[in-house]
Structure formats: structure tokens, C-alpha cells
Amino acid sequence: MSSGARSAPHNAVYDLDRYQVVPRRYVGRITASAVILVLLALMINAFAHGNIEWSFVRQFFTAQAILEGVMNTLIMSVLAMALGILIGVITAIMYMSPNPVLHYIAVGYAWIFRGTPLILQLLLWFNLALVFPVISIPGLFSVQTVDVMTPFFAALLGLSINQGAYTSEVVRAGLLSVDTGQYEAAKAIGMPRLQALKRIILPQAMRVILPPIGNEFISMIKTTSLASMIQYSELLYNTQNIYYANARVMELLFVAGIWYLMVVTVLSFGQSRLERYFSRGHSRRQ
């Protein structure tokens, strides 16, 4: 009886050879892929043979107004993102401060600018002269607000301050990702809080902070298009000015879309290189 019990598993091993291994058929996956490819081919064919003059797309792709719009978009994106990061870092430090005044100011700032639409903020900045006709400091200077709140300056304020509210949450998450032992070690050697943040905490937090910041910058390239509402001459605004004159709406929108895709593709490549640089020592090749 005992020998028979021991031989059963042995026989079961040989029984496995009688079965044929059949690869699993992913019917749903294959069907979905086929349907998507067919729809994509139909869409490409529709646009290729639709009422679109592709010669106008080629003609205006390198038009001076379009190139100026691309340059203004890049300039605004870089400046607004740089100011947004600066504001975000300061706000994140204030949020984590033991001082309740600084903490609640940071909370209120994030609540207001994350809770209202960006386009509303841009319109408020651009029309600030309706509330404050004159900006002045007694004894120092006095200027007309309408002269200060140009489309460029209003767009820069609106985009950077709004971006700072979102960046502050990203930076705060990065700071919280650093082990508390790093804070305690810096405190143990008598390092002031700000110095510890600058030399120890922030460099370690960059690995967590950089990917979402890169995504925010890429998003900023597209978000600048909202500044067309306040007449800032970025890519979309200049594109609209052209198709208002020649009525080639779709052709010019394709031009703008291709330029946005090109810029975003280049920035995405740069972002991946930066992420690999800051993640050195934290990833291993398998």
C-alpha cells in the first residue's frame, strides 16, 4: 500500500507527456487591434482625400508669423515654468514650516489658484486696470496699470502663479519622500533647516520631483495657447490671425498642431535624459 502511494506521483509525471500544450489565443486583443487599425486607416484616408489643401499647410508651416509664434510660445513657457518652480519651492517650504502663518498662507495660495480656471486668472490679470487704474508707491513711482499689464506680462503672471500652485504640491511630495533620518542627521550636526533643504534634502528629492515637473513643462507648452485669449502673440494666436485673413482654418490648425507635436517630442526626449541622470544610483540593470 505504501509503495503504491509513493509511485502515484511518479506515474503522474509521465501522464503530463500525454497532453499537448496549446498556446492561448487572445481573440479579444487581436480583434480590438484589427478594429483600431481599420478605423485609423479610414481616418487617415478621410483626411488625405478631404477638403484640405495640403499645399497651404506646407506653405504656411515656415511662415514668419508662425515661426514668431513658436518662439514666443517657447519663451513664455520657459519663463513661466522657471517662475512657477521658484514659487512652488518657496510655497512647499512654507507649507511644511512649523510657523502656522506661513503654513496657512501656502495652503490658501494653493487653494485659490488650483481651484479656479487658468483662463479666468489670465482674464483677471489682463483686466486688472479696471480695479486698480494706477499702480503706485507714494514717493517712489506711479504708473498706469494698463501700461504695465500688457498681454506678455499678464500671461507671464497668470501662467507662472498658477503653475506655482501645482508645482508646490509636486515639490512637497518630493520632500516628503526623503527619509526622515536625513532631516534628523542634518539637525544633529547643527545644520540650519534651509541649509539642510538645499544641500541634503532637495538633491535627494529631485529623483521624485523631476518626472512630474518635466510633464508640467511639456504641458505648459500647450497651456500657453490659452494666452491667445488675452492677445499674446503665441503660436495659436498668430495661427488664428492668419486664418481669419485667408479662411484656411483647418490648414492653419494643422500647421499649429504639427509644430506643437514637434516641440513636445523634442522636450519629451530631453526629459527622459534628465530623468536617467537624476536616477543614477537608484536603478540597477537586471
Side-chain angles (χ1 to χ4, degrees):
M1 180 66 69
S2 60
S3 61
R6 287 194 300 270
S7 63
H10 181 72
N11 295 335
V13 173
Y14 285 100
D15 290 340
L16 293 177
D17 296 334
R18 302 178 183 176
Y19 297 97
Q20 180 182 2
V21 178
V22 179
R24 182 178 179 181
R25 293 181 175 86
Y26 297 94
V27 179
R29 185 184 303 177
I30 295 173
T31 303
S33 300
V35 170
I36 291 173
L37 289 176
V38 169
L39 292 177
L40 182 61
L42 291 174
M43 184 178 67
I44 293 174
N45 181 70
F47 277 101
H49 297 88
N51 190 21
I52 298 175
E53 294 290 342
W54 294 103
S55 60
F56 281 92
V57 176
R58 292 190 296 271
Q59 175 184 347
F60 287 99
F61 188 74
T62 55
Q64 182 178 355
I66 297 296
L67 296 179
E68 289 177 356
V70 173
M71 184 59 62
N72 289 340
T73 294
L74 291 173
I75 291 172
M76 179 59 67
S77 299
V78 171
L79 292 178
M81 197 68 202
L83 287 175
I85 292 174
L86 178 62
I87 296 171
V89 171
I90 295 174
T91 304
I93 294 173
M94 291 172 59
Y95 190 100
M96 300 177 66
S97 172
N99 187 320
V101 176
L102 296 179
H103 171 77
Y104 285 109
I105 288 176
V107 171
Y109 161 72
W111 174 66
I112 291 174
F113 289 98
R114 292 177 66 197
T116 54
L118 175 56
I119 192 168
L120 172 63
Q121 297 172 33
L122 290 172
L123 291 171
L124 287 173
W125 286 113
F126 187 59
N127 293 286
L128 193 65
L130 299 176
V131 182
F132 305 105
V134 178
I135 299 176
S136 64
I137 297 180
L140 294 179
F141 69 89
S142 177
V143 294
Q144 297 292 321
T145 305
V146 70
D147 295 330
V148 175
M149 283 299 165
T150 61
F152 173 84
F153 195 64
L156 181 60
L157 279 178
L159 292 171
S160 61
I161 293 176
N162 178 268
Q163 183 60 49
Y166 288 93
T167 303
S168 66
E169 294 299 307
V170 174
V171 174
R172 187 168 68 90
L175 296 177
L176 291 175
S177 70
V178 179
D179 188 84
T180 54
Q182 301 293 320
Y183 292 89
E184 295 170 357
K187 185 177 180 180
I189 62 175
M191 186 175 290
R193 176 180 173 83
L194 291 180
Q195 187 179 9
L197 286 171
K198 178 182 177 181
R199 295 190 176 183
I200 298 177
I201 308 304
L202 273 176
Q204 296 183 61
M206 285 299 294
R207 180 175 59 90
V208 176
I209 294 173
L210 191 61
I213 289 294
N215 291 333
E216 290 289 332
F217 180 56
I218 291 173
S219 178
M220 177 66 75
I221 295 291
K222 297 169 288 184
T223 305
T224 53
S225 61
L226 293 177
S228 62
M229 294 294 297
I230 58 173
Q231 303 173 19
Y232 175 65
S233 58
E234 45 76 53
L235 176 56
L236 183 59
Y237 181 78
N238 287 4
T239 299
Q240 291 173 327
N241 285 341
I242 296 175
Y243 72 59
Y244 286 152
N246 62 13
R248 293 292 178 178
V249 179
M250 291 300 297
E251 288 83 355
L252 269 299
L253 290 178
F254 271 106
V255 169
I258 294 170
W259 269 112
Y260 280 121
L261 285 173
M262 290 174 56
V263 173
V264 167
T265 300
V266 172
L267 292 176
S268 298
F269 176 76
Q271 178 192 1
S272 64
R273 297 293 297 270
L274 281 175
E275 289 179 10
R276 286 198 296 269
Y277 175 81
F278 280 100
S279 62
R280 292 179 305 172
H282 295 274
S283 60
R284 298 179 180 177
R285 293 182 179 179
Q286 301 298 328

